[in-house]
Amino acid sequence: MRLGPAGQEKPAVRVDDNTYIDVSDIVPDFDEQFFADGGPSLLTDVVAERRRAGTTKPFAGQRIGAPIARPHQILCIGLNYSDHAAETGQAVPDEPIVFNKAPNTLVGPNDTVLIPRGSTKPDWEVELGIVVGRRCRYLADEQEAAAAIAGYVLVNDVSERAFQMERGGQWVKGKSAETFNPCGPYLVTPDEIEDVSKLDMWLHVNGVRRQTGSTATMLFGVAYLVHYLSQFMVLEPGDLINTGTPPGVGMGFNPPIWLRAGDVMELGIEHLGSQRQAVEAAP
């Protein structure tokens, strides 16, 4: 985890819902260098020692930041859930649909989401995020790809559908407004999840369930995606991959339901925690 005011977050390791261990004296941040040097394994002995010594601290209302520092890149996979593809009326893709999201969209899991100026169709997307653990190029197979995953995070791939689909060009325009990638509350290492392909997912807007899904309906699994992407580009340590969303996005309703200032989104994925974001108009 990373705790503290925006831009001043300090690295920490979660113990339970109430306490954490400060590791800011061991690593400056959970950034590209941290993951390149070994990532979470660097902290194993220190955390164990501090837990034995009882040197934990209470969260005590501190702001929770994104669990990783701003990555080199955020890559996204479109239409990666069979039931989401069906609700949009689009064909299931033969290969992953890949697009970028600006890295400076990354915010904390409970930070305010801003509706951009000129927006008419802002939308939500609960997603499983992959954090890359080492530099990857031309990975040989899915086994090698799985070994390159540092962990998993909960993300909300907030979107503006008019910008994305009605303004020409690529999807990146509808994905890259400020605050459009709430992430966290924590990064979970792969050993903590028995089967990443069977995680329940959900999202509420104003207390109404909008998304109910499972990673079981993903078309392209996490190891496949890391392997696939490495054939086209170099993945750097700390990069974030948003892997797609289950059904229930706003544009999938008839008539569509769009986010408005004053709305509240709450979302979660099994084993990865939950988020809560108030929605406001960008000043």
Side-chain angles (χ1 to χ4, degrees):
M1 303 182 70
R2 295 167 71 247
L3 305 171
Q8 302 175 43
E9 297 92 343
K10 292 185 177 181
V13 175
R14 177 182 180 272
V15 175
D16 53 37
D17 289 342
N18 301 309
T19 59
Y20 70 94
I21 293 171
D22 187 342
V23 293
S24 60
D25 59 326
I26 305 299
V27 294
D29 207 348
F30 295 148
D31 53 13
E32 181 177 350
Q33 191 62 53
F34 168 75
F35 289 106
D37 288 344
S41 63
L42 299 173
L43 302 174
T44 303
D45 293 341
V46 170
V47 169
E49 178 182 340
R50 292 181 180 182
R51 288 191 71 169
R52 286 193 296 269
T55 54
T56 60
K57 297 182 178 182
F59 287 114
Q62 293 188 76
R63 173 185 173 271
I64 299 173
I68 58 173
R70 183 183 297 181
H72 168 259
Q73 60 184 342
I74 298 176
L75 298 167
C76 303
I77 308 299
L79 298 178
N80 193 32
Y81 283 69
S82 56
D83 37 9
H84 173 54
E87 77 169 342
T88 65
Q90 300 184 65
V92 171
D94 294 326
E95 295 192 39
I97 296 172
V98 181
F99 58 95
N100 292 86
K101 191 161 191 162
N104 65 0
T105 58
L106 193 74
V107 293
N110 304 314
D111 289 348
T112 299
V113 166
L114 299 176
I115 296 177
R117 297 180 185 182
S119 168
T120 58
K121 299 179 179 179
D123 205 347
W124 57 82
E125 296 188 15
V126 58
E127 301 199 9
L128 171 71
I130 303 168
V131 177
V132 177
R134 64 176 178 84
R135 195 168 192 264
C136 301
R137 59 187 297 276
Y138 303 114
L139 294 171
D141 50 34
E142 290 188 33
Q143 183 176 357
E144 188 176 1
I149 295 173
Y152 302 102
V153 292
L154 167 64
V155 296
N156 187 355
D157 178 20
V158 185
S159 308
E160 211 300 330
R161 304 301 188 188
F163 294 177
Q164 178 184 356
M165 299 178 176
E166 300 171 15
R167 300 291 298 272
Q170 302 297 316
W171 287 4
V172 65
K173 288 191 297 188
K175 298 286 187 172
S176 293
E178 59 185 331
T179 74
F180 264 29
N181 206 111
C183 179
Y186 34 76
L187 180 149
V188 179
T189 51
D191 60 296
E192 295 282 350
I193 298 178
E194 183 176 352
D195 189 347
V196 73
S197 68
K198 294 180 180 179
L199 302 180
D200 292 334
M201 314 168 73
W202 58 272
L203 182 142
H204 293 173
V205 180
N206 300 329
V208 178
R209 176 68 69 97
R210 295 302 185 188
Q211 287 191 272
T212 300
S214 169
T215 55
T217 67
M218 288 177 68
L219 296 167
F220 305 104
V222 296
Y224 180 94
L225 289 172
V226 174
H227 172 261
Y228 180 88
L229 291 169
S230 78
Q231 309 307 305
F232 300 95
M233 64 194 77
V234 176
L235 304 177
E236 301 289 357
D239 279 358
L240 176 61
I241 303 169
N242 295 346
T243 61
T245 197
V249 297
M251 71 173 178
F253 287 88
N254 187 14
I257 302 171
W258 307 120
L259 289 169
R260 297 175 297 178
D263 286 346
V264 173
M265 293 181 284
E266 296 173 283
L267 57 147
I269 297 179
E270 185 180 6
H271 301 308
L272 299 184
S274 61
Q275 303 181 354
R276 184 183 188 277
Q277 298 112 30
V279 179
E280 297 180 4

